[in-house]
Amino acid sequence: AFTQSRHGAAEAARLLHGLATGFFSYTIFCFVIAVSLEGLGIAVSFGLATLLALAVQGAALVATGRHERTLVLEV
């Protein structure tokens, strides 16, 4: 609601698209923790989950073309 009121509908849609894309990484992270925690232990499970989440996020950024955008700061 704040994004839409301050920056318009296009920015709100962009925000929601980014959130939806990011949820893939979160899902993978939670799944890997749930599956591997008992067998591999805390440190290895979290390390593996983090690496896989980063890989999935990278693939999602490449697939959506978001890696080419630059950050523009408004003053």
Side-chain angles (χ1 to χ4, degrees):
F2 292 110
T3 301
Q4 184 173 3
S5 68
R6 290 188 52 101
H7 302 290
E11 286 299 315
R14 194 169 152 228
L15 173 70
L16 291 174
H17 183 268
L19 283 171
T21 304
F23 281 138
F24 288 114
S25 296
Y26 177 70
T27 303
I28 288 295
F29 182 86
C30 291
F31 177 75
V32 171
I33 293 295
V35 170
S36 66
L37 190 60
E38 191 173 313
L40 298 177
I42 293 173
V44 175
S45 294
F46 273 83
L48 181 62
T50 301
L51 288 176
L52 288 174
L54 288 172
V56 167
Q57 185 64 30
L61 290 174
V62 169
T64 60
R66 296 296 231 190
H67 65 288
E68 296 175 5
R69 293 186 181 211
T70 58
L71 178 65
V72 177
L73 298 175
E74 294 181 19
V75 178

